[in-house]
Amino acid sequence: HKNFKECPGGVESAIHLAAKQEIMKRKGIVLPKLNTSMSALDSRGIKHEVNEIIVPEGLPVFFDEIQEEKIIGNIKADIFGIKRNKPLIIEIFYRHTVDEEKIQKIKRLNISAIEIDLSSLGTADLKDMESFWFHVIDPSSIRWLHHVKIDKINSELERELNVKLQERESKYRSEDIKIKKRQEREENEFICSL
């Protein structure tokens, strides 16, 4: 068999393995930003938006427990970490991103999960492990596959947006009533002046 420098699968295995080893050794990772937002138009076509940052950019997480190649339900996680009884699945992407089927399984398990994209790296990036580590923890290379709070927060944002729209529509109705009364008063004044 060719050495990993000549074999694309070998490079993938080396990068995938090195990333897992570094995460296991350091017992931590950096999380990317996760925010959610909703918007809607009111009756006058004005856009209203609500949003919430669920996880700030670059949040470091150091795990209480961490396992490699963990079977959870009907999936195998590259890394499975637990921080204060909150689990996180970490997937490493070099050639093959996590497919939609696995994402749906993660969502059904309702476990937060991220994917680290190392597809731009090559064997030269393995020569300096500190530099390699900075690629692994670069928030711009990490995406959320699922977050356990997303559905709850989206429901809260939907309620907040509906309240905001109702308040705006109520204000519009009050303004319309004031305009109508003023127009009626001006009409009456005009008729009386004739």
Side-chain angles (χ1 to χ4, degrees):
H1 190 75
K2 297 176 183 177
N3 70 35
F4 76 87
K5 290 179 184 173
E6 299 167 5
C7 175
V11 173
E12 177 176 4
S13 296
I15 289 173
H16 195 265
L17 181 63
K20 288 195 303 184
Q21 287 174 342
E22 286 299 303
I23 294 168
M24 294 294 293
K25 179 176 85 175
R26 297 167 191 257
K27 294 186 175 187
I29 195 69
V30 171
L31 298 177
K33 182 178 183 177
L34 178 62
N35 65 316
T36 185
S37 64
M38 292 189 172
S39 64
L41 298 177
D42 64 25
S43 63
R44 296 189 180 173
I46 297 172
K47 183 178 178 180
H48 299 271
E49 189 171 8
V50 292
N51 58 60
E52 183 167 331
I53 296 173
I54 300 168
V55 179
E57 181 80 26
L59 181 70
V61 174
F62 296 97
F63 299 108
D64 303 320
E65 299 173 43
I66 191 165
Q67 297 175 45
E68 196 175 346
E69 300 294 324
K70 169 87 171 160
I71 303 287
I72 309 147
N74 57 354
I75 65 165
K76 186 193 305 186
D78 286 337
I79 303 270
F80 183 73
I82 298 175
K83 175 71 175 179
R84 293 190 195 132
N85 294 320
K86 294 178 183 169
L88 179 69
I89 293 171
I90 303 169
E91 293 292 325
I92 312 293
F93 158 41
Y94 183 71
R95 290 242 191 274
H96 306 287
T97 187
V98 175
D99 62 27
E100 191 57 37
E101 182 181 344
K102 188 169 186 178
I103 292 171
Q104 291 308 313
K105 289 177 181 180
I106 290 168
K107 287 179 179 181
R108 282 193 293 277
L109 291 168
N110 200 28
I111 298 174
S112 294
I114 58 172
E115 179 180 60
I116 302 170
D117 180 356
L118 301 178
S119 62
S120 65
L121 302 183
T123 54
D125 295 298
L126 295 173
K127 291 178 181 169
D128 177 1
M129 290 313 283
E130 278 307 304
S131 177
F132 177 75
W133 177 245
F134 285 111
H135 287 290
V136 172
I137 62 169
D138 178 3
S140 69
S141 298
I142 305 171
R143 74 177 177 121
W144 284 97
L145 301 174
H146 177 65
H147 193 286
V148 295
K149 292 182 180 178
I150 196 79
D151 292 335
K152 181 181 179 218
I153 290 172
N154 280 338
S155 293
E156 291 169 2
L157 285 179
E158 187 174 14
R159 280 191 294 278
E160 183 182 335
L161 182 60
N162 285 333
V163 166
K164 199 175 194 180
L165 287 170
Q166 288 170 356
E167 288 172 352
R168 177 57 61 179
E169 295 300 335
S170 177
K171 186 175 179 182
Y172 289 159
R173 284 189 296 279
S174 294
E175 289 171 355
D176 289 346
I177 290 169
K178 287 179 186 176
I179 290 170
K180 188 174 181 182
K181 285 182 179 181
R182 188 181 74 232
Q183 288 172 338
E184 287 173 354
R185 190 179 67 243
E186 288 172 355
E187 244 179 61
N188 287 338
E189 288 174 0
F190 177 73
I191 291 171
C192 290
S193 70
L194 294 178

